[in-house]
Amino acid sequence: MNLKILKLENLLRCHAVFRQLHSLGQRRMLAQWSHVFSSAYPVWTAQPCVWPWQTDLVIGAALSQYRLLVTKKEERSQKPPLSSTKSKKEVEVWIGMTVEELARAMEKDIDCVFEALMNTDIDIDSLEAHSHLDEVWIKEVIKKTRMKLKWSKLKQDKVRENKDAVRRPQADPALLIPRSPVVTIMGHVDHGKTTLLDKLRKTQVAAMEAGGITQHIGAFLVPIVLAINKCDKAEADPEKVKKELLAYDVVCEDYGGDVQAVHISAVTGDNLMALAEATIALAEMLELKADPTGPVEGTVIESFTDKGRGPVTTAIIQRGTLRKGSILVAGKSWAKVRLMFDENGKPIQEAYPSMPVGIVGWRDLPSAGDEILEVESEPRARAVVDWRKYEQEQEKNKEDLKILEEKRKEHQEAHQKAREKYGTLHWKERSFLKYQEKKEQKLLKPKEKEERDSPVLPIIIKGDVDGSVEAIVDIMNTYDASHECELQLVHFGVGDVSENDVNLAETFHGVIYGFNVNAGNVIQKSAAKKGVKIKLHKIIYRLIEDVQEELSFRLPCTVEENPIGEASILATFTVTEGKKKVPVAGCRVQKGQLEKQKKFKLIRNRDVIWKGSLTSLKHHKDDISVIKSGMDCGLSLSEEKIEFKVGDEIICYEEKEVPGKTSWDPGF
C-alpha cells in the first residue's frame, strides 16, 4: 500500500472520530434540556451530523477511488520513460549545405532559418537562399528549432566517380609522321599583322577589317620567325627593334642568338619569300612530327555563333584524324561533328595534325583555348560535361565557404571586441555609449550616400567571335580609374545584339558595345524606346575611345581659372569712408588687364591668401571698370580685414567649366 494512501486513510479516520465525538456531545446536551422543559412543549429532535456508519461509507468510497488513481499513476511511472530526443524531429544535414537545403531538410521555410540565426555573429544581411552554412551555424539552427541533428554520411563519404576525359599517353615515336608548323602572328594594333597574312595567302582580309581583330581561320601552310614590318618607310630602324627585343630575351642571329630576323614590308611584299624560306628551314631543323592515329586531340582557336550553322569553332588538330560524325568534348560543351570546312570555307572530310579546321555541330559554344578531346559516344560526352560542371560547382562551393568562414571570423572578432568594450560597464553607461555610436553613424550616412551616388558606367559587350570579346574584356580589366567613375562589366558574349541584351542594359542603365556584330531594326527600335544606347564598332581602338568618352561624360565638370591680368602692389594706404577705414593697394598692371567685374585673388610668397571680388577700382580719382597693362590703379577688396603688403600680387581671372576627362589610359 502506498504511504500516501495510508496517510490519507489515517487522516480521514481521525476526522470521522472527531465527528462522532461531536455528535455524542450534542445528544447529551439535548437530553439534559428535555428534563428542564415541561412536557407541554413538543420535543425537538435534530440530526446535526452524519451518523458514523454513513461516514464510513463516504470514506470507503473516496479511498477506493483514490487507490484506483494512485495505482494507475504508479503503473504509468513504472513504464520506461520515453527519451526526450525521440520526440524531436531528426534532421539530416551535411557540411556546406545552403540555407535553402537546410530549410528543406527541416521541412520549414527559409524564414525559419533566418530567424534562428538572428542575434548571432553571422551577418544576416549577407545571407541568401543559396548561401552556404558552416558547421557552427547548422548546429545553431537545429538547436534553436528544437530538432535533432544527424550528419549525413552521403555527403561526406560518397565520392563521385571522376568521369573526365584526358589526353592519351605520348605516342610511340615510330608512329609519328612529319607535320606542318603552327604559326602565330603577334603584334600591336594596326602594325600590319593582317596585311602580312593577306600577302602570304594572297587574300584581302585587311581591306574588310580596318583595325579589327583577326580571330577567324587564318592559319595555313607557312611557318614564321621574327618579321620586322614596315621597313619600306624612310624612318624605319630595324636595328633599334632588334636591340629593344634583347630586353625580352629575344636574341637575333646578328647578336649571337638563334632567332632569325627578316626585314619585310607587308604593303609592298618586300622580302616575303625570304621570310617563308627562313621559317621553312627552321621547321625542318625542329623536325616537327605528330601522331595521326587514334582519338582526336586539339585546341579551340576561335568560337562564334553562325545564324545558319549555330555554334562554330575553329580549331587546330594536334593528334589523331578528325572525321565527320566524331564525338568531341571541349570545356563544358560537346559536339557531334556535322560539318568541317577549311580556311576558304570549303567542306572537307578529314582534318590531320597541324591542320586548321572549322567544326559545326556543337551543343554549346566552347571558349578559345579549350582543349578538344574525342570520346567514344554521346553518353560518354554528356558524362564528361556533367562531371566538369559538377567539378566547377564544387570549386565554387569551396570558395563560398572560405569567404563565409572569413566573414564569420570577422564578425566573431568584432563581437568579442564589443563585449570586451562594454563588459565592465554599468548598463546605463553601456546604453549611453551605444546611443552615441548610433548618432555618429547617422551623421556618416550622407557621406556614405554620396559615395554610393558616385558615377558608374555599366556596359555590355557583344563580339563576333570569342577571341574578339576576350581581347576587349582584357582591355577593360586594365581600367584603373574607379575613384573617378566605376566601370561595371554587366555581361559579355558572342553574337548579335539581342532583346535580352537590351533588357539587361535597361535594368542596369548601361550601354551596349558591339564589335563586328549587328543590331536589327527591331532591336534598334526597342532600344530607342527604352532609352538604351547601342554603339557598334568595327575597329577595336575606336570602341575603346568610345568607352573613354562615355566615362568622361559621366564625370562632373571641373572649374578652371583662366588668368586675365596680373598686377603688383607698390604701396599701401587707408582711406576713410564714413566712420570706416578701408585698406587700399596702389598697384601697377604688369600683364593683361584688370576687370572690376571679374574675380580676383591675392598672392603672397606664391600662396593664395584671399579670393573674392573688388569693391572699388580707381585710376587717380576716377572709378573705372577696366585698367590695362602698364597703368597704375588703386583697389580695395570685398573683405576689409585683409591687409596688403608691398610685393603682393593681384591676379584677375575668370572661371570656366571644363568637361571631365577620365584618367584611364588603356595603352593605345
Side-chain angles (χ1 to χ4, degrees):
M1 181 65 68
N2 195 302
L3 290 174
K4 291 182 180 179
I5 299 176
L6 294 175
K7 287 180 180 180
L8 182 61
E9 286 180 344
N10 292 334
L11 183 64
L12 289 173
R13 283 172 180 162
C14 289
H15 179 70
V17 170
F18 171 77
R19 294 292 297 271
Q20 289 175 5
L21 291 172
H22 181 68
S23 178
L24 288 172
Q26 281 188 335
R27 284 200 297 272
R28 286 175 182 173
M29 289 177 64
L30 285 173
Q32 292 175 359
W33 279 103
S34 62
H35 293 291
V36 175
F37 291 103
S38 62
S39 58
Y41 292 93
V43 178
W44 175 69
T45 59
Q47 297 179 353
C49 62
V50 181
W51 291 107
W53 64 269
Q54 291 176 324
T55 302
D56 291 339
L57 286 176
V58 173
I59 292 172
L63 285 173
S64 63
Q65 289 295 324
Y66 185 75
R67 286 193 193 95
L68 181 62
L69 290 172
V70 170
T71 305
K72 287 183 177 179
K73 188 174 181 181
E74 286 179 346
E75 287 175 356
R76 284 199 301 269
S77 64
Q78 288 172 3
K79 290 181 181 178
L82 292 173
S83 174
S84 59
T85 55
K86 285 190 177 179
S87 61
K88 294 182 178 180
K89 178 179 173 58
E90 195 172 63
V91 181
E92 190 173 3
V93 298
W94 59 91
I95 297 294
M97 69 190 309
T98 64
V99 174
E100 188 177 16
E101 288 171 341
L102 180 56
R104 195 182 303 123
M106 295 166 56
E107 296 181 356
K108 301 282 186 182
D109 56 13
I110 294 177
D111 291 338
C112 179
V113 178
F114 288 133
E115 288 173 8
L117 291 173
M118 288 179 69
N119 301 320
T120 61
D121 294 341
I122 198 168
D123 185 7
I124 294 290
D125 296 332
S126 67
L127 281 182
E128 301 290 343
H130 58 274
S131 298
H132 296 275
L133 297 170
D134 60 9
E135 182 178 346
V136 175
W137 305 123
I138 294 172
K139 288 181 176 178
E140 185 71 15
V141 173
I142 299 299
K143 179 182 176 182
K144 287 191 175 179
T145 51
R146 300 181 183 277
M147 296 185 182
K148 185 182 177 183
L149 180 141
K150 178 185 177 184
W151 289 107
S152 172
K153 294 183 179 180
L154 181 66
K155 293 286 181 180
Q156 295 175 337
D157 300 340
K158 186 176 178 181
V159 178
R160 189 167 174 176
E161 184 183 355
N162 190 332
K163 297 285 187 179
D164 205 0
V166 294
R167 286 180 178 267
R168 291 179 284 156
Q170 290 187 350
D172 184 351
L175 299 176
L176 302 181
I177 61 172
R179 68 167 179 84
S180 301
V182 177
V183 177
T184 301
I185 298 180
M186 301 179 68
H188 206 273
V189 176
D190 267 357
H191 278 200
K193 301 181 295 297
T194 308
T195 307
L196 175 59
L197 283 170
D198 294 342
K199 285 294 180 180
L200 289 170
R201 61 184 178 182
K202 294 182 175 60
T203 61
Q204 292 296 320
V205 176
M208 296 182 288
E209 287 190 354
I213 303 175
T214 308
Q215 292 288 348
H216 309 275
I217 290 186
F220 48 98
L221 299 180
V222 280
I224 194 167
V225 287
L226 174 62
I228 302 176
N229 196 19
K230 300 189 178 182
C231 288
D232 57 315
K233 294 192 174 183
E235 65 273 17
D237 189 357
E239 295 304 316
K240 181 184 176 183
V241 175
K242 293 177 186 177
K243 290 176 182 177
E244 289 176 347
L245 286 172
L246 291 173
Y248 300 95
D249 295 328
V250 179
V251 185
C252 299
E253 291 178 335
D254 298 350
Y255 293 93
D258 57 357
V259 177
Q260 297 182 75
V262 184
H263 305 170
I264 65 166
S265 171
V267 174
T268 62
D270 292 347
N271 252 4
L272 293 190
M273 187 56 69
L275 174 63
E277 289 174 354
T279 311
I280 291 170
L282 179 61
E284 289 176 351
M285 289 173 59
L286 294 174
E287 296 183 350
L288 302 174
K289 294 182 178 182
D291 176 16
T293 63
V296 170
E297 297 175 8
T299 302
V300 176
I301 301 299
E302 193 46 81
S303 61
F304 60 94
T305 301
D306 186 89
K307 287 185 177 179
R309 295 172 171 175
V312 180
T313 63
T314 61
I316 293 290
I317 304 303
Q318 296 168 297
R319 191 175 180 183
T321 301
L322 182 63
R323 297 178 177 86
K324 188 177 178 180
S326 297
I327 308 298
L328 306 178
V329 172
K332 290 180 282 297
S333 179
W334 67 277
K336 182 175 182 179
V337 180
R338 292 191 288 110
L339 175 67
M340 297 186 295
F341 54 90
D342 62 13
E343 70 273 13
N344 298 314
K346 294 181 179 179
I348 57 176
Q349 299 301 317
E350 293 181 334
Y352 302 99
S354 294
M355 189 172 176
V357 59
I359 303 171
V360 179
W362 295 95
R363 298 304 189 267
D364 298 296
L365 200 63
S367 299
D370 282 348
E371 181 183 65
I372 296 176
L373 297 174
E374 184 178 4
V375 294
E376 59 272 17
S377 64
E378 292 186 21
R380 171 68 177 135
R382 291 192 190 95
V384 172
V385 171
D386 288 344
W387 166 258
R388 291 179 177 180
K389 289 179 179 178
Y390 166 78
E391 210 170 24
Q392 185 184 37
E393 184 182 355
Q394 293 298 106
E395 287 297 320
K396 184 178 180 300
N397 291 346
K398 288 179 182 177
E399 291 175 5
D400 291 345
L401 279 174
K402 186 178 178 182
I403 293 170
L404 193 65
E405 180 62 21
E406 289 174 357
K407 285 186 176 181
R408 187 186 70 80
K409 286 181 179 178
E410 288 175 6
H411 285 286
Q412 201 166 13
E413 288 172 3
H415 180 68
Q416 187 65 27
K417 286 179 181 178
R419 290 188 65 180
E420 291 173 359
K421 181 179 179 181
Y422 299 122
T424 58
L425 297 177
H426 188 267
W427 70 269
K428 289 183 179 179
E429 295 174 334
R430 187 164 59 245
S431 300
F432 177 73
L433 284 176
K434 288 184 177 179
Y435 168 76
Q436 290 291 341
E437 288 177 358
K438 286 182 180 178
K439 193 175 180 182
E440 289 175 5
Q441 288 174 357
K442 287 180 180 178
L443 293 174
L444 290 173
K445 280 186 178 179
K447 185 179 179 182
E448 291 173 0
K449 186 176 185 297
E450 186 179 343
E451 290 175 357
R452 286 198 301 269
D453 292 342
S454 59
V456 59
L457 174 60
I459 61 172
I460 294 170
I461 296 172
K462 297 301 291 287
D464 56 341
V465 291
D466 192 63
S468 300
V469 176
E470 182 184 5
I472 295 169
V473 171
D474 285 345
I475 295 171
M476 296 302 169
N477 287 336
T478 67
Y479 183 71
D480 56 0
S482 296
H483 59 285
E484 299 172 346
C485 178
E486 186 179 353
L487 181 64
Q488 291 182 346
L489 184 56
V490 176
H491 171 69
F492 58 87
V494 176
D496 290 340
V497 179
S498 66
E499 187 67 31
N500 286 337
D501 298 325
V502 174
N503 292 335
L504 201 59
E506 181 190 19
T507 302
F508 286 90
H509 305 287
V511 180
I512 300 173
Y513 287 93
F515 182 76
N516 277 339
V517 295
N518 297 316
N521 292 332
V522 175
I523 299 297
Q524 294 276 11
K525 289 178 181 178
S526 174
K529 186 177 179 181
K530 295 176 179 178
V532 173
K533 293 180 184 177
I534 299 178
K535 299 188 174 185
L536 305 177
H537 295 273
K538 293 188 178 296
I539 302 175
I540 187 169
Y541 55 81
R542 296 295 183 204
L543 185 149
I544 302 304
E545 286 174 357
D546 198 326
V547 175
Q548 287 178 295
E549 290 174 6
E550 193 68 35
L551 285 164
S552 300
F553 176 74
R554 298 186 179 226
L555 296 179
C557 293
T558 57
V559 178
E560 287 187 355
E561 296 179 355
N562 294 327
I564 298 173
E566 297 178 9
S568 57
I569 297 177
L570 305 178
T572 64
F573 51 92
T574 59
V575 297
T576 302
E577 294 181 358
K579 295 182 179 181
K580 294 189 299 182
K581 289 186 177 182
V582 180
V584 177
C587 307
R588 178 170 293 164
V589 181
Q590 304 292 343
K591 188 189 293 184
Q593 62 185 27
L594 305 185
E595 300 180 19
K596 186 181 178 182
Q597 302 302 322
K598 302 295 183 182
K599 294 188 175 183
F600 288 79
K601 57 185 175 182
L602 179 63
I603 298 177
R604 182 176 298 154
N605 298 327
R606 296 184 179 180
D607 294 328
V608 178
I609 62 173
W610 170 85
K611 279 186 176 184
S613 57
L614 301 182
T615 55
S616 68
L617 179 63
K618 292 189 177 185
H619 179 59
H620 299 303
K621 293 184 179 181
D622 300 327
D623 289 324
I624 55 176
S625 59
V626 178
I627 188 163
K628 296 185 178 180
S629 178
M631 297 177 66
D632 294 337
C633 64
L635 55 83
S636 59
L637 310 180
S638 57
E639 190 171 342
E640 298 175 359
K641 294 181 180 179
I642 298 296
E643 294 182 0
F644 297 110
K645 288 186 179 180
V646 176
D648 289 351
E649 290 181 323
I650 294 287
I651 307 294
C652 177
Y653 67 95
E654 62 179 356
E655 291 181 342
K656 185 179 179 182
E657 283 192 351
V658 178
K661 186 176 181 181
T662 180
S663 61
W664 176 43
D665 181 12
F668 286 104

